[in-house]
Structure formats: structure tokens, C-alpha cells
Amino acid sequence: MTETEREQMPAVVQPPRSDASESAPVTGGTRVEIENLTAYYGSRAAVTDVSLTVLPRTVTAFIGPSGCGKSTVLRAINRMHEEIPGARIEGRITIDGVDVYGRDVDPTSVRRAVGMVFQKANPFPTMSIYDNVIAGLKLVSNGRRRGGYDEIVEKALRRTNLWDEVKDRLNKAGSALSGGQQQRLCIARAIAVEPEVVLMDEPCSALDPISTLAIEDLIGDLKKQYTIVIVTHNMQQASRVSDMTAFFSLPGPGLPGTLIEVDDTTTMFQTPSRKATEDYITGRVG
Ligand code: ADP
């Protein structure tokens, strides 16, 4: 396949690059469409009939009370949901028009195109900072990459504002960094594979306010290149970092979560259409 042919294909169906980070094109941005998604754990639907569009190069925040299915929807986007025994989805999710659950689509290519950052920073504890940055890249390129990784490591660490803090100790364990630095290291690991979409599941909930602001600044910077979805319990954070907000709720005990409304963040926080959204945002419920 020529590089031009590759660039014309959505990343989700491309075979892994052998030299992932260096020549990834800056695309027009990636759009994620979720259509009538219902996600099950065994026979129980956790969240039902979710339809929403995640726009390119924007930050979309998922908010709502615990247990309404925000993380489940997030994990359905990069096919991590199906890793849980008995878990499955109905409905459709497309990334730039490609059905991520299509028969010909390899889940590994989906996870390469859609990176994920978790609540608890999870650098591989025995690996160096350097090796942590390239861990995902090595996995997706199956060791087929030509040349070294130095440039990629520096670029990813610069991109996450970590380079100056760690450049003199790249061979030290990732676990030796502070919580905020570890989370930025995990973001560096996620973007080193040049994904199109970055999913973040409460990335700041274990961090102090200063580290939280550093991550929020970083998110604002990363959205110039990536499509970002963030689950957050922090209303101020949703209003600070996101362009679009989706509010999920639980209609009643034992019932699956649903998407109540999605709109641009200013509208959602100032004049939401639904009373349930207003009650949640103003702290009256949830
Ligand atoms: P939220 O992110 O909004 O807090 P989750 O997506 O984590 O909600 O959970 C939605 C529902 O799915 C909850 O009822 C939760 O108990 C259930 N759930 C989440 N993960 C699992 C799992 N691994 N196995 C079974 N049920 C789960």
C-alpha cells in the first residue's frame, strides 16, 4: 500500500504502520457517530438507545450520576467493552463512516485509532519512562518498526508538556513520577501511536488541583489535533474543557441509563432544554 492510499483510508481500517508516529498525516479530524447504542453486561442492559455525534477536533464531555453508563459508552467506542466476558452491544458506532464493529474490522486497529486514558494513571511500574511512552506503539507495530524511538518519545513527551521535567531521567521507572506526571505520561503513551480519537475516563479524579489544571490545559491543546471524549464528575471541569456536553441519567432503579440530551457546553450549562439536566447541573439531584 502506498502512503497516499493509506492516508485516504480511515485509520480504523488501516493496517498498523511500521513507523507509526513520524509521518502520520494531520487529518481533517475524525468524527464518531453512535447510533442507537445499547450495551449489555450479560442479559442486563447498562445503557440504552444512545445516539450522538462526536465532532472532529472538539472535546465532548459525558456527565451524569454514577452508574448511568458513561464509561460503558466510552469503552464501546474502542471495543474495550467486549473484552468483558458476556458483554456485547447493539446498535452502530462509526468512525469517519467505518463501522467499528464491522466484520472486516480488527479490534486492534480500532484501539490504535482510538486511544484511552484511565482514571488511575497506570504507567507500567517496572518500565522506564522511555519504555512507557513506546509501549503501545510497540504493541501495534508488532516490532515491525524501522529505526529507533527517540524522536517519537521526545515528541510525545513535549506534546504532553513533560519533556523538560523528565528528559534527564528517561531511564527511571515511570512509577517514580508524581501522580500528575504519571497521568501525562499515560497521555503521552496514548498519543505516541498517533490515534485519531482519545477517550479519557475521569482522567483527573485522582489528581490535585494544580495537576488537574495541567491536564485540562493539555486537553485544550490536544483537541487541535484529536477528537476527545472525556467522562467527568466535575461540572466545572466539563464547563472548562469541553465544547459539547452529553448528559446521561438513570430513569429509575434497576433501569438502564439513557442519554438525556447533548448540546454545546455553554447551552447545556446556561439553558439546558431538559429539567433533569438543569437539576443535575445545579446540584439539585445526582
Ligand atoms: P458510569 O460510568 O456512568 O458510572 P458505568 O458505565 O461504569 O457507569 O456503569 C453502568 C452500569 O453497568 C452500572 O450499573 C454498572 O454496575 C454496570 N457495569 C459496569 N461495569 C460492569 C461490569 N464489568 N460487569 C457488570 N456490570 C457492569
Side-chain angles (χ1 to χ4, degrees):
M1 179 186 301
T2 66
E3 204 48 28
T4 314
E5 283 167 341
R6 179 190 290 276
E7 284 171 19
Q8 285 165 353
M9 296 169 74
V12 74
V13 290
Q14 288 177 17
R17 289 172 180 276
S18 56
D19 55 351
S21 255
E22 290 153 329
S23 53
V26 174
T27 63
T30 300
R31 183 186 188 92
V32 181
E33 299 269 3
I34 301 174
E35 296 164 51
N36 306 109
L37 174 74
T38 297
Y40 295 86
Y41 294 98
S43 57
R44 184 176 171 266
V47 58
T48 190
D49 204 23
V50 174
S51 296
L52 72 97
T53 301
V54 178
L55 296 170
R57 293 189 185 172
T58 57
V59 179
T60 299
F62 287 0
I63 62 167
S66 279
C68 62
K70 304 179 297 295
S71 301
T72 300
V73 173
L74 202 69
R75 289 194 300 261
I77 297 173
N78 72 346
R79 294 189 61 166
M80 274 184 63
H81 177 66
E82 70 196 64
E83 294 293 305
I84 295 162
R88 65 183 179 89
I89 69 143
E90 283 169 4
R92 206 167 115 93
I93 300 178
T94 59
I95 295 182
D96 281 348
V98 176
D99 182 351
V100 303
Y101 287 85
R103 248 188 305 149
D104 301 336
V105 174
D106 174 3
T108 312
S109 70
V110 176
R111 285 175 211 135
R112 182 172 54 84
V114 186
M116 183 133 190
V117 176
F118 299 90
Q119 176 172 8
K120 180 148 177 15
N122 57 347
F124 299 115
T126 56
M127 272 188 199
S128 66
I129 293 168
Y130 186 102
D131 286 338
N132 260 289
V133 175
I134 59 174
L137 186 57
K138 276 183 158 170
L139 211 64
V140 296
S141 61
N142 287 329
R144 285 203 300 265
R145 210 189 154 272
R146 298 182 306 274
Y149 291 102
D150 291 0
E151 254 179 64
I152 292 169
V153 169
E154 179 170 345
K155 187 175 157 199
L157 290 172
R158 281 193 187 282
R159 199 81 175 77
T160 49
N161 306 323
L162 204 51
W163 177 248
D164 289 336
E165 294 165 48
V166 302
K167 64 178 182 224
D168 300 325
R169 48 181 172 145
L170 293 175
N171 293 322
K172 292 274 181 330
S175 54
L177 298 174
S178 74
Q181 288 173 325
Q182 287 189 24
Q183 195 57 299
R184 279 182 281 148
L185 178 61
C186 292
I187 297 172
R189 183 175 66 196
I191 65 172
V193 292
E194 293 285 356
E196 307 275 320
V197 180
V198 180
L199 309 175
M200 299 186 172
D201 197 349
E202 295 190 57
C204 303
S205 64
L207 301 181
D208 62 79
I210 303 281
S211 305
T212 295
L213 286 180
I215 300 279
E216 289 181 6
D217 282 350
L218 178 57
I219 293 170
D221 188 34
L222 292 176
K223 80 169 179 186
K224 293 175 196 150
Q225 186 173 355
Y226 304 104
T227 301
I228 298 177
V229 184
I230 179 172
V231 169
T232 178
H233 276 116
N234 180 330
M235 294 299 103
Q236 283 81 23
Q237 177 165 82
S239 65
R240 280 194 298 260
V241 302
S242 73
D243 305 288
M244 301 292 292
T245 297
F247 171 60
F248 293 78
S249 192
L250 281 166
L255 293 173
T258 53
L259 174 66
I260 303 293
E261 64 176 311
V262 55
D263 212 327
D264 71 82
T265 296
T266 310
T267 305
M268 284 290 276
F269 279 83
Q270 290 178 2
T271 49
S273 317
R274 304 283 298 271
K275 183 162 184 316
T277 313
E278 188 182 336
D279 287 350
Y280 184 76
I281 283 168
T282 54
R284 278 200 282 272
V285 290

